[in-house]
Amino acid sequence: MTEAPGPLRPGAAIGIIGGGQLGRMLAIAAARLGYRTVILEPQSDCPAAQVANHQIVASYDDPAALAELSGQADVVTYEFENVPVAAAGRLALDVPVFPPPKALEVSQDRLAEKRFLNGIGVSTAEFLPVDSDKDLASALSEFGGSGVLKTCRMGYDGKGQRLFRNFQGDVAGVFAAMGGVPMILESLVGFVSEISVIAARGRDGGLAAYDPTENVHRDGILHTSTVPAAVPPGVAEIACRSAFAILEALDYVGVIGVEFFVLADGALLVNEIAPRVHNSGHWTEAACAVSQFEQHIRAITGLPLGGTGRHCDCVMENLIGNDVERAPRLLAEPDLVLHLYGKAEARPGRKMGHFTRIRPARPTVPT
Ligand code: AMP
């Protein structure tokens, strides 16, 4: 990989693989710092391209498109974790790619991710690989009949998952019904809440983290993120320390999202890591001087990381599908920051936008 010298100068170009809402918000943050953006995305007029300087309309692994991207960009980043690792590796021969492709490798496969986390001393749910109905039967009996079966790859927002609770029956056919692909069975975690930490590492190795948020999901999709999270201060500190350990072990540059289960005794288990800006960090745009998007742009361009202090408490809520029709009414509220993603069609389950209600900060009370 070629190392870029010093911070990128204003006017330099940032390549972004993926054209969704995260790419859109990264492009806006990049523009505020004086950078140009080039989006690689097969869907034309995508949310990111609407606010970027240029779009290359091609698949993420198209060799000609990758050559065009590395020719135009001074640094390349991505907004989703399923970027083909080979494409990121190919780009990295010609232009710095941050976060490093290794972060994609680890986060694309739940088995590799859990082994990596446990290997650096970060706890997760217990897990067993499942490659057949027989494996599933023995894994379920190991975990007392309960667990969450997940495809190792391409699962997100609860997709590619099946819950077993005190299951005594026959699992014949389950492996094939789930697609016959490599899977893992995770032990069913009796968590009291779910939190996440958005953290960053700069090109100089500097570290920063925002306050953890408490996340509530609906139908497997993030519904709200609340800051501060109702966890004792010690828990927040441990969560940040785990995020920093992950960043350092991956020699990471950029923003990462780390999702945790909080157990009744305050212990934390990492559910998953996302090597990118994260939905549960959207509140930073409304409540912090430097948002997660600007933080990521700062990190990958070699600028100093920004402060992560929060100047208000807040609740971020996603607008899914037809929820987007609430936008005009929401805008009548004071102290509300709305962000729509420029998607033409409001399909069920599709993230159309989000809003953040802010209120004066109160001291975090240990619970
Ligand atoms: P994931 O796609 O892995 O983020 O899972 C989506 C949601 O399913 C999580 O946010 C949890 O609410 C729930 N979940 C996932 N894995 C487990 C587990 N091992 N035990 C209990 N709940 C889980």
Side-chain angles (χ1 to χ4, degrees):
M1 190 181 75
T2 328
E3 200 55 51
L8 285 188
R9 300 170 68 83
I14 298 171
I16 302 175
I17 307 176
Q21 63 268 16
L22 301 180
R24 178 185 180 94
M25 291 184 270
L26 285 170
I28 293 170
R32 287 182 57 231
L33 293 178
Y35 295 118
R36 301 170 62 79
T37 43
V38 182
I39 311 296
L40 172 61
E41 162 65 44
Q43 187 208 317
S44 58
D45 191 40
C46 58
Q50 292 167 17
V51 300
N53 297 87
H54 181 58
Q55 178 179 5
I56 301 169
V57 182
S59 63
Y60 309 122
D61 54 2
D62 180 309
L66 292 171
E68 191 182 343
L69 184 64
S70 63
Q72 291 187 15
D74 297 285
V75 64
V76 171
T77 189
Y78 43 87
E79 58 121 45
F80 72 111
E81 57 272 39
N82 287 317
V83 170
V85 175
R90 172 73 197 80
L91 281 168
L93 298 174
D94 299 327
V95 65
V97 176
F98 298 126
K102 166 91 179 144
L104 288 172
E105 251 175 80
V106 165
S107 61
Q108 282 178 3
D109 184 305
R110 292 183 190 274
L111 202 51
E113 182 178 59
K114 286 198 167 49
R115 285 177 175 151
F116 160 74
L117 291 167
N118 293 175
I120 61 165
V122 172
S123 302
T124 62
E126 289 179 74
F127 61 96
L128 287 166
V130 170
D131 292 304
S132 63
D133 287 339
K134 191 160 159 273
D135 286 350
L136 177 58
S138 73
L140 271 172
S141 94
E142 181 87 5
F143 294 156
S146 298
V148 184
L149 181 66
K150 302 181 180 179
T151 57
C152 284
R153 292 180 166 269
M154 300 305 277
Y156 62 95
D157 287 347
K159 293 186 178 73
Q161 298 192 12
R162 177 155 168 189
L163 172 69
F164 293 88
R165 203 183 286 274
N166 303 318
F167 186 81
Q168 309 285 342
D170 186 358
V171 295
V174 171
F175 181 71
M178 294 275 292
V181 292
M183 282 176 245
I184 62 168
L185 184 76
E186 295 179 15
S187 59
L188 184 61
V189 178
F191 56 81
V192 291
S193 65
E194 292 183 83
I195 64 168
S196 57
V197 169
I198 307 300
R201 185 164 178 269
R203 295 224 321 231
D204 62 357
L207 295 165
Y210 295 93
D211 283 349
T213 64
E214 191 166 337
N215 303 320
V216 173
H217 296 83
R218 247 190 214 172
D219 303 324
I221 303 176
L222 183 66
H223 176 51
T224 57
S225 289
T226 301
V227 205
V231 290
V235 170
E237 205 183 305
I238 293 166
C240 291
R241 274 214 303 271
S242 297
F244 290 162
I246 294 165
L247 289 171
E248 290 191 320
L250 290 171
D251 197 17
Y252 197 94
V253 174
V255 162
I256 197 169
V258 185
E259 299 178 22
F260 299 87
F261 298 126
V262 185
L263 309 187
D265 64 359
L268 291 175
L269 301 178
V270 169
N271 175 27
E272 61 185 9
I273 60 178
R276 52 170 169 78
V277 287
H278 195 257
N279 194 167
S280 71
H282 290 0
W283 62 274
T284 57
E285 226 181 17
C288 303
V290 176
S291 72
Q292 64 163 346
F293 306 104
E294 178 172 332
Q295 192 77 296
H296 185 75
I297 298 297
R298 286 179 179 229
I300 65 169
T301 57
L303 290 168
L305 293 183
T308 51
R310 193 164 48 78
H311 49 71
C312 53
D313 291 349
C314 57
V315 181
M316 187 282 315
E317 187 173 326
N318 274 331
L319 293 169
I320 309 288
N322 287 333
D323 286 349
V324 70
E325 287 164 20
R326 293 169 61 197
R329 264 176 297 135
L330 288 166
L331 285 173
E333 285 185 35
D335 305 324
L336 181 144
V337 180
L338 178 76
H339 206 131
L340 299 183
Y341 303 151
K343 297 182 184 176
E345 198 191 337
R347 292 195 290 271
R350 193 175 198 203
K351 290 177 179 165
M352 301 298 294
H354 69 270
F355 63 90
T356 306
R357 288 194 173 102
I358 58 175
R359 53 176 191 261
R362 64 192 146 82
T364 310
V365 182
T367 51

